[in-house]
mmCIF file of all heavy atoms in Angstrom:
data_model
loop_
_atom_site.group_PDB
_atom_site.id
_atom_site.type_symbol
_atom_site.label_atom_id
_atom_site.label_comp_id
_atom_site.label_asym_id
_atom_site.label_seq_id
_atom_site.Cartn_x
_atom_site.Cartn_y
_atom_site.Cartn_z
ATOM 1 N N LEU A 274 -94.874 219.129 71.097
ATOM 2 C CA LEU A 274 -93.705 219.499 71.894
ATOM 3 C C LEU A 274 -93.322 220.967 71.600
ATOM 4 O O LEU A 274 -93.103 221.742 72.516
ATOM 5 C CB LEU A 274 -92.535 218.603 71.613
ATOM 6 C CG LEU A 274 -91.276 218.810 72.387
ATOM 7 C CD1 LEU A 274 -91.551 218.700 73.912
ATOM 8 C CD2 LEU A 274 -90.195 217.852 71.972
ATOM 9 N N ALA A 275 -93.271 221.312 70.342
ATOM 10 C CA ALA A 275 -92.899 222.677 69.984
ATOM 11 C C ALA A 275 -93.776 223.154 68.816
ATOM 12 O O ALA A 275 -93.536 222.751 67.681
ATOM 13 C CB ALA A 275 -91.398 222.713 69.559
ATOM 14 N N ILE A 308 -91.080 210.674 68.912
ATOM 15 C CA ILE A 308 -90.232 211.723 69.483
ATOM 16 C C ILE A 308 -89.717 211.327 70.867
ATOM 17 O O ILE A 308 -89.000 212.109 71.483
ATOM 18 C CB ILE A 308 -90.928 213.078 69.520
ATOM 19 C CG1 ILE A 308 -92.159 213.106 70.389
ATOM 20 C CG2 ILE A 308 -91.220 213.562 68.137
ATOM 21 C CD1 ILE A 308 -92.790 214.439 70.639
ATOM 22 N N SER A 335 -97.222 210.495 63.040
ATOM 23 C CA SER A 335 -95.819 210.911 62.954
ATOM 24 C C SER A 335 -95.736 212.379 62.649
ATOM 25 O O SER A 335 -94.828 212.870 61.986
ATOM 26 C CB SER A 335 -95.091 210.125 61.884
ATOM 27 O OG SER A 335 -95.699 210.278 60.585
ATOM 28 N N GLY A 336 -96.734 213.111 63.062
ATOM 29 C CA GLY A 336 -96.887 214.534 62.739
ATOM 30 C C GLY A 336 -96.000 215.515 63.454
ATOM 31 O O GLY A 336 -95.050 215.104 64.148
ATOM 32 N N GLY A 337 -96.322 216.727 63.293
ATOM 33 C CA GLY A 337 -95.504 217.801 63.843
ATOM 34 C C GLY A 337 -94.462 218.258 62.840
ATOM 35 O O GLY A 337 -93.968 217.445 62.061
ATOM 36 N N GLY A 338 -94.117 219.506 62.873
ATOM 37 C CA GLY A 338 -93.118 220.060 62.025
ATOM 38 C C GLY A 338 -91.750 219.820 62.452
ATOM 39 O O GLY A 338 -91.479 219.228 63.544
ATOM 40 N N PRO A 339 -90.786 220.256 61.675
ATOM 41 C CA PRO A 339 -89.339 220.073 62.040
ATOM 42 C C PRO A 339 -88.972 220.646 63.364
ATOM 43 O O PRO A 339 -88.110 220.044 64.033
ATOM 44 C CB PRO A 339 -88.623 220.789 60.878
ATOM 45 C CG PRO A 339 -89.578 220.778 59.750
ATOM 46 C CD PRO A 339 -90.956 220.868 60.382
ATOM 47 N N ALA A 340 -89.607 221.695 63.809
ATOM 48 C CA ALA A 340 -89.219 222.264 65.131
ATOM 49 C C ALA A 340 -89.512 221.318 66.262
ATOM 50 O O ALA A 340 -88.770 221.244 67.222
ATOM 51 C CB ALA A 340 -90.008 223.608 65.318
ATOM 52 N N GLN A 341 -90.670 220.586 66.191
ATOM 53 C CA GLN A 341 -91.005 219.633 67.243
ATOM 54 C C GLN A 341 -89.946 218.503 67.321
ATOM 55 O O GLN A 341 -89.514 218.140 68.407
ATOM 56 C CB GLN A 341 -92.367 219.045 66.946
ATOM 57 C CG GLN A 341 -92.738 217.941 67.940
ATOM 58 C CD GLN A 341 -94.217 217.613 67.920
ATOM 59 O OE1 GLN A 341 -94.988 218.316 68.535
ATOM 60 N NE2 GLN A 341 -94.594 216.602 67.226
ATOM 61 N N TRP A 342 -89.545 218.030 66.189
ATOM 62 C CA TRP A 342 -88.566 216.952 66.112
ATOM 63 C C TRP A 342 -87.173 217.421 66.619
ATOM 64 O O TRP A 342 -86.485 216.747 67.343
ATOM 65 C CB TRP A 342 -88.520 216.322 64.724
ATOM 66 C CG TRP A 342 -89.820 215.614 64.476
ATOM 67 C CD1 TRP A 342 -90.969 216.247 63.929
ATOM 68 C CD2 TRP A 342 -90.170 214.278 64.712
ATOM 69 N NE1 TRP A 342 -92.014 215.293 63.870
ATOM 70 C CE2 TRP A 342 -91.498 214.100 64.319
ATOM 71 C CE3 TRP A 342 -89.479 213.238 65.231
ATOM 72 C CZ2 TRP A 342 -92.171 212.861 64.466
ATOM 73 C CZ3 TRP A 342 -90.095 212.039 65.376
ATOM 74 C CH2 TRP A 342 -91.427 211.868 64.994
ATOM 75 N N ALA A 343 -86.831 218.653 66.218
ATOM 76 C CA ALA A 343 -85.535 219.249 66.650
ATOM 77 C C ALA A 343 -85.587 219.449 68.170
ATOM 78 O O ALA A 343 -84.565 219.135 68.847
ATOM 79 C CB ALA A 343 -85.278 220.575 65.967
ATOM 80 N N ALA A 344 -86.684 219.859 68.724
ATOM 81 C CA ALA A 344 -86.785 220.035 70.176
ATOM 82 C C ALA A 344 -86.618 218.747 70.947
ATOM 83 O O ALA A 344 -86.109 218.651 72.041
ATOM 84 C CB ALA A 344 -88.136 220.666 70.548
ATOM 85 N N ALA A 345 -87.034 217.598 70.298
ATOM 86 C CA ALA A 345 -86.899 216.276 70.863
ATOM 87 C C ALA A 345 -85.535 215.688 70.629
ATOM 88 O O ALA A 345 -85.245 214.593 71.151
ATOM 89 C CB ALA A 345 -87.972 215.377 70.353
ATOM 90 N N GLY A 346 -84.729 216.344 69.792
ATOM 91 C CA GLY A 346 -83.421 215.763 69.457
ATOM 92 C C GLY A 346 -83.496 214.623 68.494
ATOM 93 O O GLY A 346 -82.599 213.794 68.480
ATOM 94 N N VAL A 347 -84.589 214.538 67.722
ATOM 95 C CA VAL A 347 -84.754 213.459 66.774
ATOM 96 C C VAL A 347 -84.785 214.085 65.343
ATOM 97 O O VAL A 347 -85.513 214.981 65.080
ATOM 98 C CB VAL A 347 -86.117 212.755 67.049
ATOM 99 C CG1 VAL A 347 -86.359 211.652 65.942
ATOM 100 C CG2 VAL A 347 -86.157 212.196 68.436
ATOM 101 N N PRO A 348 -83.961 213.528 64.452
ATOM 102 C CA PRO A 348 -83.877 214.023 63.079
ATOM 103 C C PRO A 348 -85.258 213.897 62.414
ATOM 104 O O PRO A 348 -85.903 212.871 62.439
ATOM 105 C CB PRO A 348 -82.874 213.160 62.347
ATOM 106 C CG PRO A 348 -82.016 212.619 63.447
ATOM 107 C CD PRO A 348 -82.936 212.490 64.664
ATOM 108 N N TYR A 349 -85.722 215.017 61.793
ATOM 109 C CA TYR A 349 -86.994 215.044 61.141
ATOM 110 C C TYR A 349 -87.160 213.957 60.087
ATOM 111 O O TYR A 349 -88.172 213.296 59.922
ATOM 112 C CB TYR A 349 -87.165 216.421 60.503
ATOM 113 C CG TYR A 349 -88.545 216.662 59.899
ATOM 114 C CD1 TYR A 349 -89.684 216.739 60.761
ATOM 115 C CD2 TYR A 349 -88.729 216.847 58.550
ATOM 116 C CE1 TYR A 349 -90.932 216.991 60.229
ATOM 117 C CE2 TYR A 349 -89.988 217.125 58.015
ATOM 118 C CZ TYR A 349 -91.090 217.200 58.869
ATOM 119 O OH TYR A 349 -92.362 217.435 58.344
ATOM 120 N N GLY A 350 -86.049 213.683 59.390
ATOM 121 C CA GLY A 350 -86.129 212.636 58.342
ATOM 122 C C GLY A 350 -86.243 211.219 58.905
ATOM 123 O O GLY A 350 -86.472 210.302 58.126
ATOM 124 N N ARG A 352 -88.566 210.384 61.179
ATOM 125 C CA ARG A 352 -89.840 210.248 61.814
ATOM 126 C C ARG A 352 -90.648 209.060 61.288
ATOM 127 O O ARG A 352 -91.296 208.345 62.067
ATOM 128 C CB ARG A 352 -90.657 211.540 61.669
ATOM 129 C CG ARG A 352 -91.098 211.914 60.298
ATOM 130 C CD ARG A 352 -91.671 213.329 60.239
ATOM 131 N NE ARG A 352 -92.197 213.608 58.924
ATOM 132 C CZ ARG A 352 -91.496 213.891 57.855
ATOM 133 N NH1 ARG A 352 -90.134 213.869 57.933
ATOM 134 N NH2 ARG A 352 -92.073 214.142 56.721
#
Side-chain angles (χ1 to χ4, degrees):
L274 183 59
I308 62 172
S335 59
Q341 176 164 277
W342 294 85
V347 177
Y349 187 65
R352 69 192 185 284

